[in-house]
Amino acid sequence: MELIEGLRWFVALAETEQVTAASDMLRISQPTLSRRLARLERDIGAELFDRHGRRLELNDRGRVLLEHARRAATELAAAQREIAAFDSPDRGTVRLSFLHSFGTWLVPDVLRAYREAHPRVSFTLYQDAAQTLVDRVVEGRDDLAFVSPRPRTSLVHWTPVTYQRLALAVPSAHPLNTRTELDLAAAADEQFIGMHEDYGMRRIFDELCAEAGIVPDVVFESSELATIGGLVSASLGVAVMPWQEPRSWPEGVVLIPLRGAGREIGMIRAQGRRLPPVAERFLRFTADSQREEPPKTDRGQVTDV
């Protein structure tokens, strides 16, 4: 505060070039202002004003300091506002990260609902693989992250948010395309397209295969579900994918719900670290509005809600 105040009186003195006018503006005595100026010039090691009787004239050195003082005062005031926002749940910024596949439905839906209730809250968003998101939260680079499945670490706290059915994605001409539901074991002889090893969907896929007693023949790996959908549509293999509305996938892909298979989606925060109030309120809002499992349609399909 003292630093900001010092910059403020110097700027006022430099702009008025009169001790009397500046002291009246700042509501401090003229001797106090004169002593502050003398101390500042000693600290800087140069005179900042040329004296002409009672009038001061900013010199070249003073103009250099004035330019930097204005910028510094603006930056310090902005920092004060940001720091004050840490203590207010009604304003400030939530640092939120999430899996790529949540960027087309879950995150926009949640943010829209939250911003309707709290329009002065802003968000910085980041997308990556599940393990990277866990690392960012643990390291303090993000406040919260939407991930799936639940991380196998005690370094984060998990809050369930919703549940999403899983399906087997097959080309439209595939022999299984008329099935309304199936077990993953029915695709034991298929060639699979999967996510890379450090992605949450790959861990889920590996666990489902182990439960079904199959060793999958993975012929392609990708970091994007959209790319996997494109490879399936080109008849290059089948894939286990989250159930989403048909428009989310390319033409030529048929999604067949997997019996009893789904993924739980939740939010993580760093264990033992206090969240800023703005992020804490967003977490409570999201947890309190947990979604139910999407309902089935006539063909055993489901629709995201």
Side-chain angles (χ1 to χ4, degrees):
M1 181 64 70
E2 184 177 345
L3 178 57
I4 297 176
E5 187 66 20
L7 291 172
R8 191 168 71 88
W9 72 252
F10 171 72
V11 171
L13 186 57
E15 290 178 344
T16 62
E17 296 188 329
Q18 290 185 351
V19 174
T20 301
S23 62
D24 289 343
M25 181 187 303
L26 298 169
R27 297 183 179 180
I28 60 176
S29 68
Q30 293 183 38
T32 298
L33 184 56
S34 295
R35 286 194 298 271
R36 288 184 177 179
L37 174 58
R39 185 166 59 247
L40 175 63
E41 289 181 324
R42 285 198 303 272
D43 292 341
I44 295 295
E47 291 189 353
L48 304 172
F49 295 87
D50 295 330
R51 274 73 172 174
H52 303 284
R54 291 179 175 273
R55 188 173 67 84
L56 300 176
E57 182 180 354
L58 198 66
N59 60 28
D60 290 341
R61 297 173 182 83
R63 279 188 282 274
V64 170
L65 182 61
L66 176 61
E67 178 183 350
H68 289 276
R70 283 171 171 162
R71 288 205 299 265
T74 300
E75 289 297 323
L76 285 170
Q80 273 191 309
R81 291 192 296 271
E82 288 189 34
I83 291 170
F86 277 105
D87 298 321
S88 172
D90 296 317
R91 62 175 62 216
T93 301
V94 179
R95 298 173 301 167
L96 177 67
S97 56
F98 52 93
L99 301 180
H100 290 278
S101 60
F102 298 161
T104 59
W105 62 285
L106 176 63
V107 172
D109 189 33
V110 171
L111 295 189
R112 180 177 61 248
Y114 192 76
R115 290 267 295 169
E116 286 175 356
H118 306 284
R120 292 192 295 177
V121 174
S122 60
F123 292 81
T124 60
L125 305 178
Y126 181 85
Q127 298 166 263
D128 214 313
Q131 186 55 54
T132 301
L133 302 187
V134 172
D135 293 341
R136 287 177 63 89
V137 168
V138 170
E139 294 165 5
R141 287 184 287 166
D142 292 322
D143 300 314
L144 300 164
F146 283 107
V147 298
S148 179
R150 182 173 184 165
R152 293 168 172 165
T153 175
S154 60
L155 298 178
V156 297
H157 181 273
W158 165 268
T159 300
V161 173
T162 189
Y163 177 89
Q164 188 179 32
R165 292 282 305 274
L166 296 176
L168 184 71
V170 302
S172 57
H174 196 279
L176 295 174
N177 68 357
T178 59
R179 301 280 293 273
T180 58
E181 192 176 53
L182 51 73
D183 295 315
L184 185 58
D189 296 329
E190 300 289 337
Q191 291 186 319
F192 283 90
I193 305 166
M195 301 289 286
H196 289 302
E197 293 289 343
D198 56 345
Y199 282 74
M201 270 304 300
R202 180 55 180 265
R203 178 184 140 191
I204 293 173
F205 171 68
D206 290 343
E207 290 174 351
L208 289 174
C209 288
E211 291 173 5
I214 65 175
V215 178
D217 179 14
V218 179
V219 292
F220 292 100
E221 292 182 335
S222 176
S223 60
E224 293 284 349
L225 285 175
T227 299
I228 292 177
L231 295 175
V232 172
S233 70
S235 300
L236 295 173
V238 303
V240 172
M241 304 177 75
W243 184 274
Q244 291 174 275
E245 295 179 8
R247 60 183 171 81
S248 299
W249 306 116
E251 292 185 8
V253 175
V254 175
L255 295 180
I256 309 162
L258 289 169
R259 190 173 292 112
R263 65 171 176 172
E264 189 177 30
I265 299 170
M267 295 186 75
I268 58 170
R269 60 177 174 81
Q271 190 71 266
R273 182 187 299 129
R274 179 178 175 269
L275 283 173
V278 64
E280 180 68 40
R281 174 180 278 185
F282 176 69
L283 174 61
R284 289 200 308 269
F285 173 89
T286 306
D288 291 344
S289 56
Q290 280 192 52
R291 300 159 172 228
E292 300 297 330
E293 179 180 349
K296 292 184 178 180
T297 65
D298 292 341
R299 292 190 67 247
Q301 296 181 337
V302 293
T303 305
D304 288 325
V305 293

